[in-house]
Amino acid sequence: MARCLKLLLVSTPVGPLGSGLGGGVELTVVNLLTALTQRGHQVAIAAPESSHINSHINSHINGTQLIQIPGTLQPTAQTQGRDTPATMVDNAVLANQWNYAHRVQHSYDLIVNFAYDWLPLYLTSFFDVPIAHFISMGSLSWVMDRAISQVHDKFPGTLGAYTQTQVDTFPPGLTWQLLSSAIDLSQYDYCQTPGPELVWLGRISPEKGLEDAVAAAQRTQTPLKILGKLENPAYWDNIQRTYPNAPMEYLGFVNTQQLQATVRRCQGLLMTPRWVEAFGNVAIEALACGVPVVAYRRGGPAEIIDHGKTGWLVEPDSVDGLVASIQQLATINRYHCRQQAETEYSLPALGQRFENWFETIIENR
Ligand code: HBI
């Protein structure tokens, strides 16, 4: 095992840990904390104030520092356009996080950036301690593409991402460390005999394409449970008006324990991303419960789902394709879904991948 590393994880500035505003990257930060701590590393996290890590994890992780940084949350990058300039709001938590990181940097062997923002990329040259940049989405703006390319040129090997399809959205010629993702399998209980319900998980926001899942539920008259942060109320209102008699139920944003208790009893998860989903953590959460996934063949889910074995990959934006696959769900052996999660998406595997990446960055410094 490599030596014990002292690591500072700087979380996304769009929301406190545990708020759901940070979507999949929140799960990545919390799971990485567990995986690295279990490997004997010392981990601290600097996150927007009001962050919390659910008690299950806190209980067996001592010595973890969760540093609450005050300030104004960062506007989300996926709601802006490609020409969006880098944004710096007044009293930005992003700036306060990196001011803190700069001040304490010499207490750490490595700093890990989880913000999809210009500032930490730009600041890298002004730090003595190396910074690993985990890029959590595909290409969204020229400003970020350029900042990512510049960090790559000055500090090769320090760019990390989830999947190849995500990396393919960025300018060519960059080398990336592909880290995939993982979940704490001990928090997900396998279910062999589901009810008739379908489930949709994620931030309720246009890039997630919820309306297609609702349309498919209405067409098949299959009840659809919806879970996730209600990020865009106007978008949700519009879906409700467009599909007034769809058999759907919005259950809010819940913690992992409550989420898996609902998901495991469903016959299938629907994933309807409009954008190139960098990974799609909700897919492996469902697989861990034995729930097959019907997903558009787009982005991360296309690399996760074993078509016909652990779910179905559908022509992107085709509600007909969703409907046809929903009718095939019963032919999937649910235990194969759990097995795939165990072999490919366990926490120890994630911890090993990140530790290898960190060691390489530190050695090359
Ligand atoms: N937008 N500006 C910005 N910064 C982030 O770190 C960020 C974001 N939008 C979404 C997001 N992070 C996460 O929800 C995804 O990376 C998963």
Side-chain angles (χ1 to χ4, degrees):
M1 200 278 280
R3 64 191 166 90
C4 161
L5 297 176
K6 294 193 286 302
L7 303 163
L8 174 64
L9 313 186
V10 185
S11 187
T12 171
V14 297
L17 270 186
S19 71
L21 287 170
V25 86
E26 282 188 44
L27 203 62
T28 299
V29 167
V30 170
N31 283 331
L32 194 53
L33 165 68
T34 307
L36 292 169
T37 308
Q38 282 171 349
R39 300 176 72 84
H41 301 298
Q42 279 175 24
V43 181
I45 301 179
E49 65 192 354
S50 316
S51 287
H52 64 274
I53 294 173
N54 73 47
S55 57
H56 164 84
I57 293 180
N58 253 346
S59 58
H60 71 258
I61 287 189
N62 47 28
T64 299
Q65 267 191 305
L66 178 53
I67 300 121
Q68 309 277 352
I69 307 287
T72 311
L73 296 179
Q74 189 71 9
T76 56
Q78 73 275 17
T79 52
Q80 330 275 324
R82 287 210 68 80
D83 300 315
T84 307
T87 308
M88 196 44 65
V89 294
D90 178 38
N91 187 28
V93 67
L94 176 67
N96 297 341
Q97 282 174 290
W98 286 94
N99 186 31
Y100 173 80
H102 191 260
R103 201 166 73 240
V104 302
Q105 62 177 306
H106 296 105
S107 307
Y108 298 96
D109 299 305
L110 180 79
I111 298 171
V112 192
N113 169 40
F114 287 91
Y116 191 95
D117 292 281
W118 174 82
L119 183 67
L121 292 161
Y122 180 73
L123 288 177
T124 306
S125 316
F126 305 101
F127 275 71
D128 306 322
V129 170
I131 302 177
H133 294 282
F134 186 81
I135 304 299
S136 64
M137 294 184 281
S139 166
L140 290 174
S141 70
W142 304 121
V143 157
M144 277 299 286
D145 285 2
R146 183 178 305 278
I148 286 168
S149 302
Q150 286 168 341
V151 158
H152 171 271
D153 297 346
K154 281 186 193 166
F155 306 99
T158 64
L159 293 178
Y162 286 116
T163 61
Q164 188 60 48
T165 32
Q166 173 198 358
V167 156
D168 291 346
T169 65
F170 287 101
L174 307 182
T175 48
W176 294 80
Q177 192 80 20
L178 297 184
L179 285 311
S180 186
S181 185
I183 48 173
D184 180 353
L185 290 163
S186 71
Q187 294 193 58
Y188 299 81
D189 300 319
Y190 173 66
C191 170
Q192 174 67 35
T193 52
E197 292 87 359
L198 296 168
V199 63
W200 186 94
L201 304 172
R203 287 178 294 108
I204 298 184
S205 183
E207 74 274 9
K208 297 286 186 176
L210 173 55
E211 63 275 18
D212 286 7
V214 172
Q218 177 158 294
R219 289 257 300 271
T220 57
Q221 278 306 301
T222 313
L224 174 68
K225 290 182 184 285
I226 299 164
L227 287 144
K229 187 75 183 172
L230 180 45
E231 191 172 290
N232 186 323
Y235 169 64
W236 172 233
D237 290 346
N238 189 35
I239 289 173
Q240 288 175 294
R241 272 197 307 276
T242 312
Y243 300 97
N245 53 13
M248 64 181 170
E249 183 187 6
Y250 173 52
L251 299 174
F253 172 71
V254 297
N255 66 29
T256 298
Q257 202 290 321
Q258 295 160 302
L259 179 128
Q260 70 91 32
T262 299
V263 170
R264 62 191 295 272
R265 296 214 32 70
C266 295
Q267 66 162 320
L269 168 73
L270 300 186
M271 290 190 77
T272 52
R274 286 277 184 262
W275 66 343
V276 172
E277 190 74 40
F279 184 77
N281 280 306
V282 297
I284 57 177
E285 293 189 284
L287 292 176
C289 298
V291 178
V293 180
V294 174
Y296 287 154
R297 190 190 305 274
R298 179 182 273 155
E303 293 190 28
I304 298 168
I305 303 313
D306 185 346
H307 184 71
K309 191 159 184 284
T310 59
W312 307 96
L313 292 171
V314 166
E315 172 65 29
D317 308 322
S318 161
V319 174
D320 291 348
L322 295 177
V323 168
S325 302
I326 288 166
Q327 280 143 4
Q328 300 268 338
L329 278 169
T331 67
I332 296 277
N333 177 338
R334 288 169 69 93
Y335 195 63
H336 289 163
C337 299
R338 172 73 192 189
Q339 281 176 317
Q340 183 188 3
E342 288 174 351
T343 47
E344 295 179 35
Y345 301 110
S346 74
L347 274 190
L350 182 84
Q352 180 71 61
R353 292 195 293 269
F354 270 89
E355 184 184 288
N356 293 345
W357 181 35
F358 294 164
E359 287 291 356
T360 308
I361 293 174
I362 293 168
E363 275 152 29
N364 293 350
R365 185 69 173 186

